[in-house]
Amino acid sequence: MKKIITLIAATLICSYSAQAWTDSIHAGIAAIAQENLKESTKQRIAEILDGRSIVYIASMPADNISGTIAITAKNKPYSIAKVAKSKDADIRNAALLSDITLALANVVAQDKKVAAEALRELITAIGDMHCPGHYLFVDAKHYRDIVICKAWNSTQVKFTEFWESDAFYSTYGWTTNEFVHQLARKTPEQIDAITNGSYNDWVVENAVEYRKLYQSMPAEITLAKGIDYTLWKNKLYPVAIEQIAVAGYRLAAILNLILD
């Protein structure tokens, strides 16, 4: 994955959208993945979903996904055993890697209902894995509490709240199909680089970049409504949408591997 830190500088925007990382963003990820599935994979998915594609179920958030990955000071994900033994409630809820592992096992289940729910969970988990707000750095939990903006109307927004909302919606307002048209244009060499390694490797790779992203943020940023707001937003937007593309290609790679 491209280094995102070079793109951000001090580039986050104030955001108060109620729409979060789920819904159309997950549908966009699934649509990019759909474009990169093998025909045999598509056929198997159609059998599981009674003729529908993964895009159909992507906008329905899974109920069994924790949505958070606990990350050590060395940018490694916590083991499942360490998460379970933790006395910290936030860390005990950080089990996204185990969610992925279970979903992968269940996608190939003979029971179509089990396999269909696992597909939905896998789409959610892979999407969440590429959102900085789903990384809990256990040695620096205050990162999640950084107030990144005091808006013109005095509303404050935490970094995690910002990243999971308006960062994706406020610039172009793309639909699911437009995500495909604009983002599913990687070369074979770029796709190979994006999908190389296991999902555990992808978590580590993202954690390295996201820690830098958090560390680059000042304690508080004040922007006036107007041109400053717009310029700040536009600098982050390419970073945000790149994560959608990366997640889409990686979701396709996983599904091709297990369902082909």
Side-chain angles (χ1 to χ4, degrees), residues 94-152:
L96 188 55
L97 286 180
S98 64
D99 294 334
I100 294 174
T101 301
L102 181 59
L104 285 170
N106 287 338
V107 163
V108 296
Q110 294 299 313
D111 187 312
K112 287 204 316 183
K113 289 185 178 180
V114 172
E117 178 58 23
L119 269 175
R120 190 160 63 109
E121 292 171 355
L122 191 60
I123 293 167
T124 299
I126 295 300
D128 286 347
M129 195 171 72
H130 292 277
C131 178
H134 290 283
Y135 283 64
L136 174 65
F137 294 97
V138 298
D139 61 312
K141 290 175 61 177
H142 63 280
Y143 285 164
R144 297 174 66 84
D145 296 324
I146 293 175
V147 175
I148 62 168
C149 184
K150 188 173 183 180
W152 59 275

Side-chain angles (χ1 to χ4, degrees), residues 33 50 77 82 134 138 147 152 169 178 212 229 234 252 254:
D50 294 326
K82 195 170 184 179
H134 290 283
V138 298
V147 175
W152 59 275
Y169 298 104
E178 286 166 332
K212 293 177 184 177
Y229 175 92
N234 288 348
I254 286 178

Side-chain angles (χ1 to χ4, degrees), residues 3-258:
K3 299 291 184 181
I4 64 172
I5 195 65
T6 58
L7 297 175
I8 60 169
T11 57
L12 297 177
I13 64 173
C14 303
S15 167
Y16 315 103
S17 169
Q19 191 171 23
W21 174 257
T22 52
D23 303 330
S24 64
I25 291 299
H26 280 293
I29 290 170
I32 293 170
Q34 180 72 19
E35 292 293 304
N36 290 274
L37 294 177
K38 298 177 181 179
E39 288 304 317
S40 55
T41 305
K42 291 180 181 178
Q43 181 177 349
R44 177 58 186 141
I45 289 172
E47 292 171 357
I48 294 172
L49 300 180
D50 294 326
R52 297 186 174 97
S53 78
I54 56 175
V55 182
Y56 179 82
I57 61 170
S59 61
M60 308 174 188
D63 297 326
N64 299 322
I65 295 296
S66 70
T68 307
I69 308 172
I71 301 294
T72 69
K74 295 183 178 180
N75 296 316
K76 302 293 184 180
Y78 260 36
S79 68
I80 301 305
K82 195 170 184 179
V83 165
K85 293 178 181 179
S86 176
K87 296 180 180 180
D88 188 308
D90 289 339
I91 295 175
R92 286 201 305 273
N93 288 331
L96 188 55
L97 286 180
S98 64
D99 294 334
I100 294 174
T101 301
L102 181 59
L104 285 170
N106 287 338
V107 163
V108 296
Q110 294 299 313
D111 187 312
K112 287 204 316 183
K113 289 185 178 180
V114 172
E117 178 58 23
L119 269 175
R120 190 160 63 109
E121 292 171 355
L122 191 60
I123 293 167
T124 299
I126 295 300
D128 286 347
M129 195 171 72
H130 292 277
C131 178
H134 290 283
Y135 283 64
L136 174 65
F137 294 97
V138 298
D139 61 312
K141 290 175 61 177
H142 63 280
Y143 285 164
R144 297 174 66 84
D145 296 324
I146 293 175
V147 175
I148 62 168
C149 184
K150 188 173 183 180
W152 59 275
N153 62 358
S154 299
T155 303
Q156 294 183 331
V157 179
K158 291 182 180 180
F159 176 83
T160 52
E161 296 168 351
F162 154 77
W163 187 271
E164 297 187 0
S165 55
D166 211 37
F168 297 96
Y169 298 104
S170 65
T171 299
Y172 296 133
W174 286 347
T175 65
T176 296
N177 286 339
E178 286 166 332
F179 281 126
V180 177
H181 295 159
Q182 299 298 327
L183 300 181
R185 299 182 177 188
K186 304 292 187 184
T187 66
E189 293 77 16
Q190 289 173 320
I191 295 173
D192 286 344
I194 288 170
T195 58
N196 184 48
S198 67
Y199 62 84
N200 191 83
D201 296 327
W202 301 339
V203 167
V204 173
E205 181 181 306
N206 287 355
V208 171
E209 299 306 324
Y210 293 156
R211 186 183 288 272
K212 293 177 184 177
L213 192 154
Y214 274 113
Q215 290 171 333
S216 74
M217 294 307 304
E220 185 173 322
I221 297 174
T222 302
L223 292 177
K225 184 179 182 181
I227 188 64
D228 288 342
Y229 175 92
T230 300
L231 291 175
W232 198 37
K233 171 183 63 179
N234 288 348
K235 289 179 181 179
L236 177 73
Y237 197 69
V239 181
I241 63 172
E242 177 68 7
Q243 302 315 301
I244 300 170
V246 168
Y249 285 111
R250 288 179 170 174
L251 176 60
I254 286 178
L255 293 178
N256 283 330
L257 179 66
I258 64 175

